[in-house]
Amino acid sequence: GPGTETYSIYGHCALRIYNRELKTALVYNWGVFDFSTTHFAWKFAKGKLNYMLDEDSFNRFLQSYLFEKRWVQIQKLNLEPAEVEQLIALINENLKPENRNYRYDFYYDNCSTRIRDLLEKILGNRLIYPPEETKNRQTFRNLTGSYQQFYPWLNFGIDLVIGTPGDKKATLRDKMLLPIEMQRGLSR
């Protein structure tokens, strides 16, 4: 769920893998960045900040969310054992030092898209999206703005930074690009 810090008001997505044999749960989080990055705030605002994949225990991940008073929703994925093995192999490839960092993009390369892209690689056309609902589609700007309503200074700044791409109407596949909290706005 959303937090109160600027970088967390939109919600977040991470991938939890539970190993039944070892009784362990690990979380893979593509939403990690280094606060000590030179010109951090400017790079964050301009969408030029490097993010990275991090691996952590589910308990530690959950505790940090509870501490921040953020909710966590778990959605079980119906994957075959071979698909889980493929997923773990792709994650391990992502965890390599040369692959772990990426240039974050607010709409098209983020914590949600990274997970969606892995699932599309594994499942191909077997990953089924619900039928497209074209009536009352919102723009990215509208969806983004709904989370910034309590931060008028941020609303103005983000409006300037995202520019005309924010006026694109979000499609159902775009819905999969957004953290789960923002996805709800598309189905209203």
Side-chain angles (χ1 to χ4, degrees):
T4 56
E5 297 295 330
T6 303
Y7 59 84
S8 68
I9 65 171
Y10 309 102
H12 183 55
C13 289
L15 186 62
R16 173 182 172 251
I17 296 183
Y18 180 73
N19 184 319
R20 285 193 176 113
E21 291 173 12
L22 300 175
K23 294 186 181 357
T24 58
L26 293 175
V27 171
Y28 299 93
N29 179 359
W30 283 265
V32 177
F33 47 84
D34 183 358
F35 284 102
S36 66
T37 300
T38 308
H39 308 297
F40 170 80
W42 176 250
K43 287 179 179 176
F44 177 79
K46 293 291 288 175
K48 304 231 183 265
L49 188 64
N50 284 334
Y51 275 53
M52 67 188 94
L53 169 60
D54 185 45
E55 177 186 67
D56 203 355
S57 75
F58 177 67
N59 287 338
R60 191 171 18 240
F61 180 84
L62 184 60
Q63 288 304 314
S64 70
Y65 270 67
L66 295 175
F67 179 77
E68 295 175 13
K69 296 179 174 41
R70 297 172 72 177
W71 55 263
V72 173
Q73 178 178 327
I74 296 174
Q75 178 182 357
K76 186 175 181 178
L77 301 176
N78 188 16
L79 299 176
E80 298 293 328
E83 294 165 338
V84 173
E85 285 181 34
Q86 255 186 299
L87 179 60
I88 291 170
L90 289 171
I91 291 169
N92 286 334
E93 185 65 27
N94 273 226
L95 280 168
K96 290 180 179 178
E98 64 269 21
N99 300 330
R100 161 174 240 149
N101 296 312
Y102 69 99
R103 182 60 53 93
Y104 178 86
D105 181 284
F106 193 73
Y107 295 121
Y108 298 107
D109 198 357
N110 57 52
C111 59
S112 298
T113 65
R114 291 284 165 145
I115 296 168
R116 183 214 52 209
D117 292 349
L118 291 177
L119 294 174
E120 284 184 345
K121 278 184 185 174
I122 293 164
L123 299 171
N125 61 3
R126 291 180 297 134
L127 181 60
I128 301 169
Y129 294 99
E132 182 75 49
E133 189 179 305
T134 56
K135 188 179 178 185
N136 299 323
R137 280 188 12 209
Q138 295 185 40
T139 65
F140 282 109
R141 187 180 312 281
N142 293 119
L143 290 166
T144 304
S146 67
Y147 293 90
Q148 299 163 179
Q149 62 186 327
F150 301 111
Y151 309 92
W153 58 269
L154 180 62
N155 202 23
F156 176 73
I158 294 292
D159 258 358
L160 288 175
V161 169
I162 64 173
T164 56
D167 296 322
K168 177 185 176 206
K169 294 241 181 198
T171 66
L172 188 60
R173 187 164 187 280
D174 292 331
K175 176 181 174 182
M176 304 311 292
L177 306 174
L178 303 171
I180 195 158
E181 185 65 17
M182 292 178 79
Q183 290 177 23
R184 290 190 176 125
L186 284 169
S187 58
R188 289 183 190 151

